[in-house]
Amino acid sequence: MLLPALALAAWWSIAWSSRAEDAAASKDDSARLYLAREGLSPDGLLDFIDRMKNKPKSIRSRPGFSLAILDAADRILATDADPALKSAALVEKLGELHYKACRGDAAADQQIKDLLATIRGDGRQKIAAEVKFLDLEQRVLAADDLTPEQLPALLDEVRTYFTAQTPQSRDLRLASSTVRIINRLASDEQAQNAYRDFGALFARSNDRELARYGHKIEQGTKPPNLIGKPLELSGTLVDGAPLDWNAYRGKIVLVDFWATWCGPCVAEMPAVKENYEAYHDRGFEVIGVSLDQEREAVEQFLREEQIPWPNLFSEGEAGGWKHPLAVKFKIQAIPATFLVDREGKVLAENVRGPQLAKQLAQLFTEKNAQPPDK
């Protein structure tokens, strides 16, 4: 079924404004390097997209790469090409926006939401499947706003989705956010059953990262409440130096479990950085714990995003979800954060965005503030 005229008009407005914004933000030569040459036919542009998607990860992360794929898709959609070809271009556009969103691009997530509003009800099979997946993922990402009573019904939807198909690499964000929902279930028995069910489903994946995650949570239990208890950290930083946890006594510390592939983790980084810059001189520190498997991915991310705080990292058999600290604190989903007081005790768990800013503002009032030792 083709899009109704009004929906189609709205969709074109979004598509072309998106293309214009991306192009305006990418005027330098490096960002234009990958654009498809002018004059390519719609078939040629679709072949171009396919070739681009098969490039190594190290190239896919370069400036202008995603722009080139989105530009090629929009050029197809602007033609009077065969409807099947335009349908394929729309699927590719949604896929590339999702790829960007999973790497923390908030603008790409917003473009997904805008597109979903215009193409719901499209009966074409591939587009309907994309809409179903993206709509479910968006609702799971927003589940922090739901009450505990509303969570089981959403989990049932996710269970149905993963039962009907083999989980793929693109499902990592959905999987991690699903486990965040499980962690909020009121009943420990409910949570344990959900860990078992979803762990078995994720373990079926052909994606190694997601399969490992599934095996990890399959025997999982609800993480313990650490508020008010001492938090002890140890390990090796990305640069190979040992962490000196004692040096952080007397500081307010945010311990952040994250990974480069975790969209919600990366999306949270700007807020963490903003708070770090606001309060660092007054005694606020951040320690990241990367659950990545590949050192190169972590180093590249920290370098490109100019992350100023230290990050723990482990590789090999002790890497990823088997990082010793992830095992010690029974980390089941990321981002996972602990806000630690000046005595090394946990003040709060999983504070994010406005919650973190509010807590820090209270902690660093004149009455409570204690300037760091010089």
Side-chain angles (χ1 to χ4, degrees):
M1 181 176 84
L2 296 179
L3 291 172
L6 289 176
L8 184 60
W11 186 88
W12 281 123
S13 174
I14 293 167
W16 280 103
S17 64
S18 164
R19 184 182 178 190
E21 289 169 4
D22 279 348
S26 307
K27 292 179 180 179
D28 57 283
D29 291 339
S30 64
R32 294 179 177 277
L33 179 64
Y34 298 102
L35 291 176
R37 63 179 174 82
E38 294 298 327
L40 282 180
S41 67
D43 282 308
L45 288 167
L46 199 59
D47 287 340
F48 167 82
I49 293 173
D50 188 57
R51 292 195 304 273
M52 291 286 280
K53 287 171 57 183
N54 287 313
K55 298 289 186 183
K57 286 183 180 180
S58 58
I59 296 178
R60 287 213 68 179
S61 63
R62 292 178 183 174
F65 194 93
S66 284
L67 169 68
I69 293 177
L70 294 171
D71 179 83
D74 282 340
R75 283 161 63 180
I76 295 171
L77 291 164
T79 69
D80 57 357
D82 181 82
L85 197 65
K86 296 176 77 169
S87 175
L90 178 53
V91 170
E92 295 291 357
K93 181 179 179 72
L94 287 167
E96 190 60 27
L97 286 173
H98 184 258
Y99 180 86
K100 292 179 67 178
C102 285
R103 280 143 188 83
D105 190 324
D109 248 331
Q110 185 58 53
Q111 289 178 55
I112 289 173
K113 293 175 186 177
D114 293 340
L115 281 172
L116 287 177
T118 67
I119 61 178
R120 284 191 180 93
D122 191 303
R124 289 172 288 186
Q125 185 176 5
K126 289 185 177 181
I127 294 177
E130 288 298 300
V131 169
K132 182 178 180 180
F133 162 68
L134 292 169
D135 182 71
L136 177 62
E137 184 185 62
Q138 289 294 324
R139 288 188 289 120
V140 169
L141 289 171
D144 285 351
D145 297 330
L146 300 180
T147 65
E149 293 74 23
Q150 294 172 307
L151 299 177
L154 182 55
L155 279 179
D156 284 341
E157 285 190 61
V158 182
R159 185 183 287 106
T160 299
Y161 169 79
F162 279 120
T163 301
Q165 59 191 341
T166 302
Q168 307 171 40
S169 60
R170 74 169 184 172
D171 293 317
L172 268 168
R173 182 166 76 153
L174 175 57
S176 182
S177 299
T178 298
V179 177
R180 283 181 60 83
I181 295 177
I182 297 173
N183 289 343
R184 291 185 57 210
L185 291 175
S187 163
D188 287 351
E189 183 180 356
Q190 272 186 316
Q192 185 139 357
N193 290 337
Y195 287 135
R196 183 191 63 238
D197 293 347
F198 282 98
L201 289 170
F202 299 158
R204 297 161 47 227
S205 177
N206 293 325
D207 179 77
R208 289 187 300 173
E209 193 72 53
L210 186 49
R212 278 194 293 260
Y213 189 29
H215 288 304
K216 170 187 166 36
I217 69 169
E218 201 167 0
Q219 303 299 323
T221 56
K222 199 170 183 179
N225 186 332
L226 297 178
I227 294 177
K229 299 177 182 178
L231 194 78
E232 294 294 334
L233 298 185
S234 61
T236 304
L237 302 174
V238 175
D239 63 6
L243 174 70
D244 181 6
W245 179 232
N246 288 329
Y248 290 85
R249 190 57 58 90
K251 309 289 183 68
I252 301 295
V253 185
L254 181 74
V255 181
D256 181 15
F257 287 81
W258 69 288
T260 60
W261 51 260
C262 169
C265 302
V266 175
E268 190 70 16
M269 288 289 185
V272 176
K273 187 184 289 189
E274 183 178 339
N275 284 298
Y276 181 85
E277 292 170 351
Y279 296 107
H280 179 61
D281 289 344
R282 299 168 67 181
F284 176 55
E285 301 285 352
V286 180
I287 298 176
V289 184
S290 169
L291 301 191
D292 284 277
Q293 289 278 348
E294 299 175 6
R295 178 182 296 275
E296 182 182 354
V298 182
E299 291 175 337
Q300 180 178 345
F301 180 89
L302 297 177
R303 181 174 59 253
E304 291 181 353
E305 300 301 321
Q306 299 181 356
I307 302 301
W309 53 84
N311 280 266
L312 291 159
F313 175 77
S314 186
E315 53 193 339
E317 291 298 316
W321 289 102
K322 292 186 178 180
H323 189 288
L325 292 179
V327 174
K328 179 179 181 179
F329 299 122
K330 300 186 185 303
I331 302 299
Q332 307 282 22
I334 52 177
T337 60
F338 300 95
L339 190 61
V340 181
D341 68 13
R342 296 179 178 92
E343 296 179 353
K345 295 180 180 179
V346 177
L347 282 169
E349 297 180 348
N350 292 320
V351 283
R352 303 170 64 188
Q355 293 176 325
L356 175 62
K358 183 178 180 180
Q359 290 248 12
L360 293 176
Q362 292 173 345
L363 289 166
F364 288 102
T365 59
E366 283 189 26
K367 180 179 179 180
N368 295 323
Q370 294 180 9
D373 294 332
K374 298 295 184 181

